Amino acid sequence: MRVRIAAVGRLPARAPESPLIADYLSRFAQTGRPLGLGPAEIAEVEDRRGGGKPAEAALLARQIPAGAAVIALDERGRQLSSPDFAALLARLRDDGQADAVFLIGGADGLDPELRDRAAHSLSFGAMVWPHMLVRVMLAEQLYRAATILAGAPYHRA
């Protein structure tokens, strides 16, 4: 199952988050490949015309392959433990999903219509996180999920 992180905003290559994301996604690809997970890619979109959340939603929607499982990252979403997140990925894979797309909105979050289109809505907690940091957290959780499913010792429950 291919994984795409569709996110609003461009992360500069020199941003401190960039090497962390690259490292975790590389680890995810290595660990996940034998499990039928990955690789993961990031698709960045940017609304240069100032159309707000609806314009961002249109750009994000273009990043969703036909038939993909859509997972919105939203402060109102469900909070999952790492093992539960791993189980969600495994369930999507086992159900035959070829693609899973994680949506990360801009500074004002996701447009409600796009958020409602998602099959799953997840939250990294009650606190609001900067959307660039959410990318790092998601990349790490993807890697952690792969290690959990592989039975590796990275996750200590």
Side-chain angles (χ1 to χ4, degrees), residues 79-106:
Q79 294 180 35
L80 298 179
S81 67
S82 294
D84 288 341
F85 180 69
L88 171 63
L89 286 181
R91 191 168 50 254
L92 292 172
R93 176 203 60 200
D94 295 348
D95 286 347
Q97 286 292 157
D99 296 283
V101 179
F102 291 87
L103 302 177
I104 301 173

PDB file of all heavy atoms in Angstrom, residues 79-106:
ATOM      1  N   GLN A  79      -8.050  10.047  18.707  1.00  0.00           N
ATOM      2  CA  GLN A  79      -6.691   9.846  19.185  1.00  0.00           C
ATOM      3  C   GLN A  79      -6.449   8.354  19.297  1.00  0.00           C
ATOM      4  O   GLN A  79      -7.197   7.647  19.971  1.00  0.00           O
ATOM      5  CB  GLN A  79      -6.497  10.532  20.529  1.00  0.00           C
ATOM      6  CG  GLN A  79      -6.601  12.038  20.437  1.00  0.00           C
ATOM      7  CD  GLN A  79      -6.404  12.715  21.772  1.00  0.00           C
ATOM      8  OE1 GLN A  79      -5.616  12.257  22.584  1.00  0.00           O
ATOM      9  NE2 GLN A  79      -7.115  13.805  21.990  1.00  0.00           N
ATOM     10  N   LEU A  80      -5.427   7.876  18.594  1.00  0.00           N
ATOM     11  CA  LEU A  80      -5.101   6.453  18.602  1.00  0.00           C
ATOM     12  C   LEU A  80      -3.768   6.225  19.295  1.00  0.00           C
ATOM     13  O   LEU A  80      -2.868   7.057  19.204  1.00  0.00           O
ATOM     14  CB  LEU A  80      -4.993   5.917  17.164  1.00  0.00           C
ATOM     15  CG  LEU A  80      -6.221   5.965  16.280  1.00  0.00           C
ATOM     16  CD1 LEU A  80      -5.883   5.402  14.897  1.00  0.00           C
ATOM     17  CD2 LEU A  80      -7.361   5.168  16.898  1.00  0.00           C
ATOM     18  N   SER A  81      -3.650   5.077  19.926  1.00  0.00           N
ATOM     19  CA  SER A  81      -2.334   4.664  20.406  1.00  0.00           C
ATOM     20  C   SER A  81      -1.505   4.242  19.192  1.00  0.00           C
ATOM     21  O   SER A  81      -2.048   4.009  18.099  1.00  0.00           O
ATOM     22  CB  SER A  81      -2.472   3.486  21.373  1.00  0.00           C
ATOM     23  OG  SER A  81      -2.934   2.340  20.666  1.00  0.00           O
ATOM     24  N   SER A  82      -0.214   4.134  19.362  1.00  0.00           N
ATOM     25  CA  SER A  82       0.633   3.693  18.251  1.00  0.00           C
ATOM     26  C   SER A  82       0.255   2.291  17.772  1.00  0.00           C
ATOM     27  O   SER A  82       0.174   2.065  16.560  1.00  0.00           O
ATOM     28  CB  SER A  82       2.108   3.766  18.649  1.00  0.00           C
ATOM     29  OG  SER A  82       2.488   5.112  18.852  1.00  0.00           O
ATOM     30  N   PRO A  83       0.000   1.323  18.669  1.00  0.00           N
ATOM     31  CA  PRO A  83      -0.449   0.015  18.181  1.00  0.00           C
ATOM     32  C   PRO A  83      -1.782   0.081  17.434  1.00  0.00           C
ATOM     33  O   PRO A  83      -1.978  -0.639  16.444  1.00  0.00           O
ATOM     34  CB  PRO A  83      -0.560  -0.831  19.454  1.00  0.00           C
ATOM     35  CG  PRO A  83       0.416  -0.209  20.398  1.00  0.00           C
ATOM     36  CD  PRO A  83       0.322   1.269  20.112  1.00  0.00           C
ATOM     37  N   ASP A  84      -2.692   0.945  17.865  1.00  0.00           N
ATOM     38  CA  ASP A  84      -3.961   1.091  17.148  1.00  0.00           C
ATOM     39  C   ASP A  84      -3.756   1.730  15.777  1.00  0.00           C
ATOM     40  O   ASP A  84      -4.430   1.365  14.814  1.00  0.00           O
ATOM     41  CB  ASP A  84      -4.961   1.911  17.971  1.00  0.00           C
ATOM     42  CG  ASP A  84      -5.492   1.150  19.176  1.00  0.00           C
ATOM     43  OD1 ASP A  84      -5.392  -0.096  19.197  1.00  0.00           O
ATOM     44  OD2 ASP A  84      -5.998   1.813  20.106  1.00  0.00           O
ATOM     45  N   PHE A  85      -2.832   2.666  15.685  1.00  0.00           N
ATOM     46  CA  PHE A  85      -2.511   3.266  14.395  1.00  0.00           C
ATOM     47  C   PHE A  85      -1.910   2.210  13.461  1.00  0.00           C
ATOM     48  O   PHE A  85      -2.271   2.124  12.289  1.00  0.00           O
ATOM     49  CB  PHE A  85      -1.542   4.439  14.581  1.00  0.00           C
ATOM     50  CG  PHE A  85      -1.153   5.118  13.305  1.00  0.00           C
ATOM     51  CD1 PHE A  85      -2.065   5.863  12.571  1.00  0.00           C
ATOM     52  CD2 PHE A  85       0.149   5.018  12.830  1.00  0.00           C
ATOM     53  CE1 PHE A  85      -1.695   6.493  11.384  1.00  0.00           C
ATOM     54  CE2 PHE A  85       0.523   5.648  11.646  1.00  0.00           C
ATOM     55  CZ  PHE A  85      -0.397   6.384  10.926  1.00  0.00           C
ATOM     56  N   ALA A  86      -1.025   1.385  13.994  1.00  0.00           N
ATOM     57  CA  ALA A  86      -0.444   0.295  13.198  1.00  0.00           C
ATOM     58  C   ALA A  86      -1.535  -0.656  12.723  1.00  0.00           C
ATOM     59  O   ALA A  86      -1.531  -1.095  11.564  1.00  0.00           O
ATOM     60  CB  ALA A  86       0.602  -0.462  14.025  1.00  0.00           C
ATOM     61  N   ALA A  87      -2.484  -0.959  13.600  1.00  0.00           N
ATOM     62  CA  ALA A  87      -3.586  -1.846  13.220  1.00  0.00           C
ATOM     63  C   ALA A  87      -4.445  -1.222  12.131  1.00  0.00           C
ATOM     64  O   ALA A  87      -4.913  -1.930  11.227  1.00  0.00           O
ATOM     65  CB  ALA A  87      -4.431  -2.178  14.453  1.00  0.00           C
ATOM     66  N   LEU A  88      -4.647   0.088  12.183  1.00  0.00           N
ATOM     67  CA  LEU A  88      -5.412   0.764  11.135  1.00  0.00           C
ATOM     68  C   LEU A  88      -4.703   0.619   9.787  1.00  0.00           C
ATOM     69  O   LEU A  88      -5.331   0.272   8.780  1.00  0.00           O
ATOM     70  CB  LEU A  88      -5.604   2.242  11.478  1.00  0.00           C
ATOM     71  CG  LEU A  88      -6.200   3.124  10.372  1.00  0.00           C
ATOM     72  CD1 LEU A  88      -7.614   2.673  10.006  1.00  0.00           C
ATOM     73  CD2 LEU A  88      -6.188   4.586  10.786  1.00  0.00           C
ATOM     74  N   LEU A  89      -3.395   0.856   9.761  1.00  0.00           N
ATOM     75  CA  LEU A  89      -2.648   0.702   8.509  1.00  0.00           C
ATOM     76  C   LEU A  89      -2.727  -0.732   7.999  1.00  0.00           C
ATOM     77  O   LEU A  89      -2.938  -0.965   6.801  1.00  0.00           O
ATOM     78  CB  LEU A  89      -1.181   1.095   8.703  1.00  0.00           C
ATOM     79  CG  LEU A  89      -0.860   2.566   8.821  1.00  0.00           C
ATOM     80  CD1 LEU A  89       0.644   2.768   8.980  1.00  0.00           C
ATOM     81  CD2 LEU A  89      -1.357   3.345   7.621  1.00  0.00           C
ATOM     82  N   ALA A  90      -2.576  -1.685   8.904  1.00  0.00           N
ATOM     83  CA  ALA A  90      -2.640  -3.091   8.501  1.00  0.00           C
ATOM     84  C   ALA A  90      -4.022  -3.440   7.959  1.00  0.00           C
ATOM     85  O   ALA A  90      -4.140  -4.167   6.965  1.00  0.00           O
ATOM     86  CB  ALA A  90      -2.281  -3.991   9.679  1.00  0.00           C
ATOM     87  N   ARG A  91      -5.048  -2.922   8.594  1.00  0.00           N
ATOM     88  CA  ARG A  91      -6.421  -3.197   8.141  1.00  0.00           C
ATOM     89  C   ARG A  91      -6.665  -2.618   6.746  1.00  0.00           C
ATOM     90  O   ARG A  91      -7.244  -3.276   5.878  1.00  0.00           O
ATOM     91  CB  ARG A  91      -7.420  -2.647   9.162  1.00  0.00           C
ATOM     92  CG  ARG A  91      -8.851  -3.099   8.951  1.00  0.00           C
ATOM     93  CD  ARG A  91      -9.760  -2.773  10.143  1.00  0.00           C
ATOM     94  NE  ARG A  91      -9.710  -1.405  10.618  1.00  0.00           N
ATOM     95  CZ  ARG A  91      -9.106  -1.002  11.740  1.00  0.00           C
ATOM     96  NH1 ARG A  91      -8.495  -1.880  12.524  1.00  0.00           N
ATOM     97  NH2 ARG A  91      -9.130   0.261  12.108  1.00  0.00           N
ATOM     98  N   LEU A  92      -6.200  -1.398   6.515  1.00  0.00           N
ATOM     99  CA  LEU A  92      -6.348  -0.793   5.194  1.00  0.00           C
ATOM    100  C   LEU A  92      -5.609  -1.628   4.154  1.00  0.00           C
ATOM    101  O   LEU A  92      -6.138  -1.919   3.078  1.00  0.00           O
ATOM    102  CB  LEU A  92      -5.827   0.643   5.193  1.00  0.00           C
ATOM    103  CG  LEU A  92      -6.626   1.662   6.007  1.00  0.00           C
ATOM    104  CD1 LEU A  92      -5.880   2.992   6.068  1.00  0.00           C
ATOM    105  CD2 LEU A  92      -8.019   1.854   5.439  1.00  0.00           C
ATOM    106  N   ARG A  93      -4.385  -2.015   4.467  1.00  0.00           N
ATOM    107  CA  ARG A  93      -3.588  -2.841   3.554  1.00  0.00           C
ATOM    108  C   ARG A  93      -4.271  -4.182   3.294  1.00  0.00           C
ATOM    109  O   ARG A  93      -4.415  -4.604   2.155  1.00  0.00           O
ATOM    110  CB  ARG A  93      -2.197  -3.065   4.153  1.00  0.00           C
ATOM    111  CG  ARG A  93      -1.304  -3.998   3.350  1.00  0.00           C
ATOM    112  CD  ARG A  93      -0.221  -4.627   4.188  1.00  0.00           C
ATOM    113  NE  ARG A  93      -0.804  -5.409   5.272  1.00  0.00           N
ATOM    114  CZ  ARG A  93      -0.149  -5.750   6.361  1.00  0.00           C
ATOM    115  NH1 ARG A  93       1.104  -5.367   6.554  1.00  0.00           N
ATOM    116  NH2 ARG A  93      -0.736  -6.480   7.301  1.00  0.00           N
ATOM    117  N   ASP A  94      -4.728  -4.819   4.356  1.00  0.00           N
ATOM    118  CA  ASP A  94      -5.347  -6.138   4.233  1.00  0.00           C
ATOM    119  C   ASP A  94      -6.687  -6.090   3.516  1.00  0.00           C
ATOM    120  O   ASP A  94      -7.113  -7.085   2.932  1.00  0.00           O
ATOM    121  CB  ASP A  94      -5.503  -6.780   5.605  1.00  0.00           C
ATOM    122  CG  ASP A  94      -4.165  -7.075   6.272  1.00  0.00           C
ATOM    123  OD1 ASP A  94      -3.116  -7.001   5.573  1.00  0.00           O
ATOM    124  OD2 ASP A  94      -4.154  -7.342   7.484  1.00  0.00           O
ATOM    125  N   ASP A  95      -7.339  -4.924   3.556  1.00  0.00           N
ATOM    126  CA  ASP A  95      -8.602  -4.749   2.829  1.00  0.00           C
ATOM    127  C   ASP A  95      -8.371  -4.463   1.345  1.00  0.00           C
ATOM    128  O   ASP A  95      -9.331  -4.247   0.609  1.00  0.00           O
ATOM    129  CB  ASP A  95      -9.432  -3.617   3.451  1.00  0.00           C
ATOM    130  CG  ASP A  95     -10.064  -4.012   4.782  1.00  0.00           C
ATOM    131  OD1 ASP A  95     -10.075  -5.216   5.110  1.00  0.00           O
ATOM    132  OD2 ASP A  95     -10.535  -3.100   5.492  1.00  0.00           O
ATOM    133  N   GLY A  96      -7.117  -4.440   0.935  1.00  0.00           N
ATOM    134  CA  GLY A  96      -6.805  -4.264  -0.475  1.00  0.00           C
ATOM    135  C   GLY A  96      -6.612  -2.835  -0.937  1.00  0.00           C
ATOM    136  O   GLY A  96      -6.579  -2.574  -2.143  1.00  0.00           O
ATOM    137  N   GLN A  97      -6.486  -1.904  -0.011  1.00  0.00           N
ATOM    138  CA  GLN A  97      -6.246  -0.510  -0.409  1.00  0.00           C
ATOM    139  C   GLN A  97      -4.881  -0.420  -1.080  1.00  0.00           C
ATOM    140  O   GLN A  97      -3.878  -0.836  -0.512  1.00  0.00           O
ATOM    141  CB  GLN A  97      -6.269   0.416   0.809  1.00  0.00           C
ATOM    142  CG  GLN A  97      -7.610   0.690   1.371  1.00  0.00           C
ATOM    143  CD  GLN A  97      -8.494   1.520   0.460  1.00  0.00           C
ATOM    144  OE1 GLN A  97      -9.695   1.466   0.596  1.00  0.00           O
ATOM    145  NE2 GLN A  97      -7.948   2.278  -0.440  1.00  0.00           N
ATOM    146  N   ALA A  98      -4.855   0.137  -2.263  1.00  0.00           N
ATOM    147  CA  ALA A  98      -3.580   0.343  -2.946  1.00  0.00           C
ATOM    148  C   ALA A  98      -2.895   1.622  -2.468  1.00  0.00           C
ATOM    149  O   ALA A  98      -1.672   1.729  -2.519  1.00  0.00           O
ATOM    150  CB  ALA A  98      -3.788   0.400  -4.458  1.00  0.00           C
ATOM    151  N   ASP A  99      -3.704   2.592  -2.024  1.00  0.00           N
ATOM    152  CA  ASP A  99      -3.175   3.886  -1.611  1.00  0.00           C
ATOM    153  C   ASP A  99      -3.871   4.368  -0.345  1.00  0.00           C
ATOM    154  O   ASP A  99      -5.078   4.180  -0.184  1.00  0.00           O
ATOM    155  CB  ASP A  99      -3.420   4.938  -2.698  1.00  0.00           C
ATOM    156  CG  ASP A  99      -2.688   4.629  -3.980  1.00  0.00           C
ATOM    157  OD1 ASP A  99      -1.472   4.852  -4.032  1.00  0.00           O
ATOM    158  OD2 ASP A  99      -3.347   4.150  -4.931  1.00  0.00           O
ATOM    159  N   ALA A 100      -3.081   5.007   0.504  1.00  0.00           N
ATOM    160  CA  ALA A 100      -3.619   5.721   1.664  1.00  0.00           C
ATOM    161  C   ALA A 100      -3.055   7.136   1.612  1.00  0.00           C
ATOM    162  O   ALA A 100      -1.851   7.318   1.396  1.00  0.00           O
ATOM    163  CB  ALA A 100      -3.220   5.047   2.969  1.00  0.00           C
ATOM    164  N   VAL A 101      -3.926   8.118   1.780  1.00  0.00           N
ATOM    165  CA  VAL A 101      -3.508   9.513   1.724  1.00  0.00           C
ATOM    166  C   VAL A 101      -3.839  10.177   3.049  1.00  0.00           C
ATOM    167  O   VAL A 101      -4.989  10.161   3.500  1.00  0.00           O
ATOM    168  CB  VAL A 101      -4.203  10.271   0.569  1.00  0.00           C
ATOM    169  CG1 VAL A 101      -3.769  11.730   0.553  1.00  0.00           C
ATOM    170  CG2 VAL A 101      -3.900   9.611  -0.763  1.00  0.00           C
ATOM    171  N   PHE A 102      -2.825  10.758   3.666  1.00  0.00           N
ATOM    172  CA  PHE A 102      -2.990  11.521   4.898  1.00  0.00           C
ATOM    173  C   PHE A 102      -3.029  12.996   4.524  1.00  0.00           C
ATOM    174  O   PHE A 102      -2.135  13.488   3.838  1.00  0.00           O
ATOM    175  CB  PHE A 102      -1.829  11.254   5.856  1.00  0.00           C
ATOM    176  CG  PHE A 102      -1.826   9.866   6.416  1.00  0.00           C
ATOM    177  CD1 PHE A 102      -1.215   8.832   5.730  1.00  0.00           C
ATOM    178  CD2 PHE A 102      -2.439   9.592   7.626  1.00  0.00           C
ATOM    179  CE1 PHE A 102      -1.216   7.544   6.235  1.00  0.00           C
ATOM    180  CE2 PHE A 102      -2.450   8.303   8.146  1.00  0.00           C
ATOM    181  CZ  PHE A 102      -1.832   7.272   7.450  1.00  0.00           C
ATOM    182  N   LEU A 103      -4.063  13.694   4.968  1.00  0.00           N
ATOM    183  CA  LEU A 103      -4.237  15.105   4.646  1.00  0.00           C
ATOM    184  C   LEU A 103      -3.845  15.972   5.832  1.00  0.00           C
ATOM    185  O   LEU A 103      -4.339  15.769   6.949  1.00  0.00           O
ATOM    186  CB  LEU A 103      -5.699  15.386   4.287  1.00  0.00           C
ATOM    187  CG  LEU A 103      -6.287  14.603   3.118  1.00  0.00           C
ATOM    188  CD1 LEU A 103      -7.771  14.949   2.962  1.00  0.00           C
ATOM    189  CD2 LEU A 103      -5.521  14.880   1.838  1.00  0.00           C
ATOM    190  N   ILE A 104      -2.980  16.939   5.569  1.00  0.00           N
ATOM    191  CA  ILE A 104      -2.576  17.911   6.585  1.00  0.00           C
ATOM    192  C   ILE A 104      -2.914  19.292   6.041  1.00  0.00           C
ATOM    193  O   ILE A 104      -2.382  19.706   5.004  1.00  0.00           O
ATOM    194  CB  ILE A 104      -1.074  17.822   6.903  1.00  0.00           C
ATOM    195  CG1 ILE A 104      -0.717  16.423   7.408  1.00  0.00           C
ATOM    196  CG2 ILE A 104      -0.681  18.895   7.920  1.00  0.00           C
ATOM    197  CD1 ILE A 104       0.776  16.189   7.592  1.00  0.00           C
ATOM    198  N   GLY A 105      -3.788  19.991   6.719  1.00  0.00           N
ATOM    199  CA  GLY A 105      -4.209  21.316   6.279  1.00  0.00           C
ATOM    200  C   GLY A 105      -3.178  22.376   6.592  1.00  0.00           C
ATOM    201  O   GLY A 105      -2.128  22.112   7.177  1.00  0.00           O
ATOM    202  N   GLY A 106      -3.508  23.586   6.218  1.00  0.00           N
ATOM    203  CA  GLY A 106      -2.647  24.727   6.483  1.00  0.00           C
ATOM    204  C   GLY A 106      -2.876  25.277   7.881  1.00  0.00           C
ATOM    205  O   GLY A 106      -3.410  24.595   8.766  1.00  0.00           O
TER     206      GLY A 106
END
